[in-house]
Amino acid sequence: MRVMYEDMVKQFERILTKHGFDPESAADAASIFAGNSMAGVYSHGLNRFPRVVSYLEKGEIAPDAAPTCEMGMGAIERWDGHRGFGPLNARRAMDRACDLAEEYGVGVVALGNNNHWMRGGSYGWQAADRGFIGICWSNTCPNMPAWGGKDKKIGNNPFVMAIPRSSGDHVVIDCAMSQFSYGKMEDCRLKGQKLSVPGGYDSEGRLSTDPAEIEKTQRVLPMGYWKGSGISIALDLIATVLAGGNSVSRIGTLGDEVGLTQIMIAIAPGKFNSVELTDSVVNEIVADIKTSVPAQEGGQVYYPGERALKSIQENRRLGIPVVEEIWNAVLAM
Amino acid sequence: MRVMYEDMVKQFERILTKHGFDPESAADAASIFAGNSMAGVYSHGLNRFPRVVSYLEKGEIAPDAAPTCEMGMGAIERWDGHRGFGPLNARRAMDRACDLAEEYGVGVVALGNNNHWMRGGSYGWQAADRGFIGICWSNTCPNMPAWGGKDKKIGNNPFVMAIPRSSGDHVVIDCAMSQFSYGKMEDCRLKGQKLSVPGGYDSEGRLSTDPAEIEKTQRVLPMGYWKGSGISIALDLIATVLAGGNSVSRIGTLGDEVGLTQIMIAIAPGKFNSVELTDSVVNEIVADIKTSVPAQEGGQVYYPGERALKSIQENRRLGIPVVEEIWNAVLAM
């Protein structure tokens, strides 16, 4: 089943308005959620929407909270999200980072006390749409053991980098520090599939591609083993220090995954290059990668963001694929 | 065999002076090289020194070139390294990024036309020693296939993040985008060891832990498979766009690995926090990670940079372990 983007936005808008959003915020938030599904990140679009509504009902997300700037010095600012709606606060923070980059060449906004930003990549696309390089990340609840450990101490802290092209075909990498998300593992389990590469440990402490086993032990594997573990720790430290916000460990004491900390960095290539020059540099690098000899016959190499763009184009035309059960539940909300 | 740090510095200094370095540059460069070995990164300390001397002899590194600022706007600057000595230019660039961060809260220096910076982590430590958060990376020659490709199109582009502690026990992650360096694979092969996890593909296209097989195919594995590949591409794009420097692909046309592009970012937590506050945030997060339940009996979880610090302390006291053959070759230079 497929649902047109505009119809999905309308439903989300209706429900968010019912839960205390003002009309403008409801429209913005609805477009972010539907946009995530349109980009193929269903886990943080429609599929996540019911959980967000339940958080609204539990009072864990404040629908009318607006983020405020607590401190600022030159090109860096510290903002408080007041446990408002994660994606709107994050969008506001990246927008402000871009404003700072317009003025100083680079801008950094550290956003504490926010909620889940859903799909991190969307803030990379946002910066790139304004012509900026975007770098951003969020911490999470403790959902992964550090390398060498068994219990969940670190976050899978999604990390995003975006490089603009004036065509809108931006290059955007959006990746969590775990090899697979819990959502992806669940998806594989439900389909009776194995993971393509080891994603964690089984109950006997061996690396495993069996999603059910990994879900049981919760010993998720950091991407690149010790590397993803180390990067995750560094991302949490930088975010927590700059935002004065909750660390991964503190988020773990809050019950639900709320009160997260995020960093938004924007850099203005336009201070050094014409748009045409930046485009030509990016195009040259991307074109070179696309000439790779495929590892599999008939295969090809994708640049980061290429598949999201394909999903967007296809889903805009044909409608967004939905899990019927979830869509019906949303219609009934 | 072990050599005291001061003796190693003296030898490097003597040889660099012979190859056209002025006394101050020779002393600085010698201390960077010896410091890399002292921190346990032997591949980019003593063991790399002979190759650097050969580049000096071939005229590929200009011993007397000083980096110059080509453009600047607010908190971002573009520098040209004039193919000078990589580590000195990189150190100068990170120092400048810290100066900018002092003024604007954040500073970015994009350094093009530089040479190999050796151990990226040293510039993270440098920023942290001044009390700044340091984020930096370099591109490299094409030494790894992109995910889904067979031929070497992307770099293993080392990426560094450093968070300061006033004690000097900084948290520093320094990792290449390949799962293993070529140096590590050679090391394992010489010792007759397998890699601890797959590091690339064998000649039949299967993932392998056999270093000799991977060296043969040159199909090195990006850390986290598709993830390290995507991050590598994004790092190269950002660096090349901002520095107006050589991309990985262009470096591949230069014969040797010269004319690299680097990004140095410094952020000043001191604009928002007292030193004591930053220390306490960092200490709390690190302490929590150290309480992980070890995956192996008797094992422990290290925070990023902890082992480098241990190496530094041990090697300062006992002397730096050296491969006798290489050390004798250096003595004879």
Side-chain angles (χ1 to χ4, degrees):
Chain A
M1 185 185 180
R2 287 179 180 259
V3 171
M4 294 310 288
Y5 170 78
E6 291 72 20
D7 296 335
M8 195 178 276
V9 169
K10 228 175 281 171
Q11 290 300 325
F12 290 162
E13 216 177 322
R14 176 183 62 76
I15 298 160
L16 292 170
T17 307
K18 230 162 114 176
H19 284 86
F21 280 65
D22 66 63
E24 196 189 330
S25 300
D28 281 352
S31 75
I32 294 174
F33 266 99
N36 292 351
S37 272
M38 190 154 73
V41 187
Y42 308 109
S43 57
H44 290 91
L46 171 64
N47 298 3
R48 184 84 170 212
F49 191 78
R51 201 203 295 185
V52 170
V53 171
S54 82
Y55 277 26
L56 282 164
E57 285 168 349
K58 284 164 82 176
E60 291 194 312
I61 297 174
D64 51 358
T68 52
C69 180
E70 300 296 305
M71 290 185 189
M73 190 280 150
I76 63 173
E77 290 184 355
R78 173 184 284 184
W79 285 65
D80 186 325
H82 300 292
R83 297 269 183 107
F85 189 64
L88 286 184
N89 282 345
R91 186 188 266 192
R92 175 81 189 83
M94 182 52 100
D95 223 35
R96 180 63 190 149
C98 292
D99 292 344
L100 290 167
E102 191 62 56
E103 192 173 346
Y104 297 103
V106 55
V108 178
V109 172
L111 174 63
N113 213 17
N114 194 23
N115 281 308
H116 198 301
W117 71 359
M118 297 301 131
R119 169 181 160 240
S122 59
Y123 315 105
W125 286 84
Q126 175 194 340
D129 277 340
R130 283 186 59 182
F132 294 95
I133 290 167
I135 303 174
C136 55
W137 64 90
S138 178
N139 64 7
T140 65
C141 66
N143 56 20
M144 185 163 73
W147 180 249
K150 245 172 150 166
D151 50 337
K152 294 182 288 182
K153 285 287 187 190
I154 64 177
N156 68 359
N157 305 350
F159 180 63
V160 176
M161 288 187 285
I163 299 94
R165 289 202 275 192
S166 62
S167 60
D169 301 0
H170 312 312
V171 180
V172 183
I173 171 91
D174 172 8
C175 71
M177 291 301 120
S178 53
Q179 188 62 54
F180 295 101
S181 65
Y182 279 96
K184 175 71 186 171
M185 286 193 284
E186 185 190 16
D187 197 46
C188 277
R189 173 170 49 76
L190 293 173
K191 289 179 180 154
Q193 294 170 346
K194 298 278 177 201
L195 302 171
S196 59
V197 295
Y201 292 89
D202 65 18
S203 39
E204 289 173 37
R206 291 171 311 203
L207 281 175
S208 172
T209 57
D210 180 344
E213 277 290 307
I214 299 165
E215 288 173 321
K216 227 183 288 166
T217 63
Q218 306 258 311
R219 286 185 63 189
V220 172
L221 195 65
M223 68 158 191
Y225 311 89
W226 50 92
K227 297 194 169 194
S229 174
I231 297 174
S232 160
I233 294 167
L235 293 173
D236 184 40
L237 281 164
I238 296 174
T240 306
V241 163
L242 291 180
N246 290 313
S247 62
V248 166
S249 157
R250 292 234 177 154
I251 295 165
T253 67
L254 301 177
D256 280 318
E257 192 178 39
V258 293
L260 310 184
T261 307
Q262 286 133 14
I263 296 288
M264 310 285 175
I265 301 175
I267 309 176
K271 303 298 181 192
F272 296 157
N273 299 336
S274 66
V275 169
E276 292 71 29
L277 183 54
T278 294
D279 278 351
S280 81
V281 170
V282 176
N283 290 343
E284 181 183 313
I285 292 174
V286 168
D288 181 63
I289 288 158
K290 295 293 291 178
T291 64
S292 294
V293 179
Q296 310 281 341
E297 216 177 310
Q300 64 167 304
V301 169
Y302 293 94
Y303 69 82
E306 187 173 1
R307 280 196 244 224
L309 197 71
K310 281 201 170 135
S311 288
I312 291 169
Q313 288 162 345
E314 188 180 303
N315 290 343
R316 193 190 297 279
R317 202 159 41 88
L318 303 175
I320 300 166
V322 299
V323 179
E324 213 167 326
E325 196 189 328
I326 301 178
W327 179 242
N328 287 335
V330 165
L331 288 179
M333 275 177 180
Chain B
M1 184 185 180
R2 285 179 182 261
V3 171
M4 294 310 288
Y5 171 78
E6 291 72 20
D7 295 335
M8 196 179 275
V9 169
K10 226 175 282 172
Q11 289 301 324
F12 290 163
E13 216 176 323
R14 175 183 63 76
I15 297 160
L16 292 171
T17 308
K18 233 163 114 175
H19 285 85
F21 280 65
D22 66 64
E24 197 190 328
S25 301
D28 280 353
S31 74
I32 295 173
F33 266 98
N36 291 351
S37 273
M38 190 152 75
V41 187
Y42 308 110
S43 57
H44 291 91
L46 170 65
N47 297 4
R48 184 83 169 212
F49 192 77
R51 201 203 295 186
V52 170
V53 171
S54 83
Y55 278 25
L56 282 164
E57 284 168 350
K58 282 163 83 176
E60 291 193 313
I61 297 174
D64 52 358
T68 52
C69 179
E70 301 295 305
M71 290 185 189
M73 190 278 150
I76 63 173
E77 290 184 355
R78 173 184 284 184
W79 285 65
D80 186 325
H82 300 291
R83 299 270 181 103
F85 189 65
L88 287 184
N89 282 346
R91 184 188 268 192
R92 175 82 189 81
M94 181 53 98
D95 223 37
R96 180 64 190 148
C98 291
D99 293 344
L100 290 167
E102 191 61 56
E103 192 173 348
Y104 297 103
V106 54
V108 179
V109 172
L111 174 63
N113 212 17
N114 193 24
N115 282 308
H116 197 301
W117 71 359
M118 299 300 133
R119 169 182 161 240
S122 59
Y123 315 106
W125 286 85
Q126 174 194 342
D129 277 338
R130 283 186 59 182
F132 294 95
I133 290 166
I135 302 174
C136 55
W137 64 88
S138 178
N139 64 6
T140 66
C141 65
N143 55 23
M144 185 162 74
W147 180 250
K150 245 173 152 167
D151 49 337
K152 295 183 288 182
K153 284 287 189 190
I154 65 177
N156 67 359
N157 305 349
F159 180 62
V160 176
M161 288 187 285
I163 299 95
R165 289 202 275 193
S166 61
S167 60
D169 300 0
H170 311 312
V171 180
V172 183
I173 172 90
D174 172 8
C175 71
M177 291 299 120
S178 53
Q179 188 62 55
F180 296 101
S181 65
Y182 278 96
K184 175 72 185 171
M185 286 193 284
E186 185 189 16
D187 197 45
C188 276
R189 173 171 48 78
L190 293 174
K191 290 177 180 157
Q193 293 169 346
K194 297 278 177 204
L195 302 171
S196 58
V197 294
Y201 292 89
D202 66 16
S203 38
E204 287 172 40
R206 292 171 310 204
L207 280 176
S208 172
T209 57
D210 181 344
E213 277 290 307
I214 299 165
E215 287 173 322
K216 227 184 286 167
T217 63
Q218 307 259 311
R219 285 185 63 188
V220 172
L221 196 64
M223 67 159 190
Y225 310 91
W226 50 92
K227 296 195 169 194
S229 174
I231 297 175
S232 159
I233 293 167
L235 293 174
D236 184 41
L237 281 164
I238 296 174
T240 306
V241 163
L242 290 179
N246 290 312
S247 63
V248 167
S249 157
R250 291 233 178 156
I251 294 165
T253 66
L254 301 179
D256 281 316
E257 192 178 40
V258 293
L260 310 184
T261 307
Q262 287 134 14
I263 296 287
M264 309 285 174
I265 301 175
I267 309 177
K271 303 298 181 191
F272 296 157
N273 300 335
S274 67
V275 169
E276 291 71 28
L277 183 55
T278 294
D279 278 351
S280 80
V281 171
V282 176
N283 290 343
E284 182 183 313
I285 293 174
V286 167
D288 182 63
I289 288 160
K290 295 294 290 180
T291 65
S292 294
V293 179
Q296 310 281 342
E297 217 177 309
Q300 64 168 304
V301 169
Y302 293 94
Y303 69 82
E306 188 173 1
R307 278 196 247 225
L309 198 70
K310 281 202 169 134
S311 289
I312 291 169
Q313 288 162 346
E314 187 180 303
N315 290 343
R316 194 190 296 280
R317 201 160 41 86
L318 303 175
I320 299 165
V322 299
V323 179
E324 213 167 328
E325 195 189 329
I326 301 177
W327 179 242
N328 286 334
V330 165
L331 289 178
M333 275 176 180

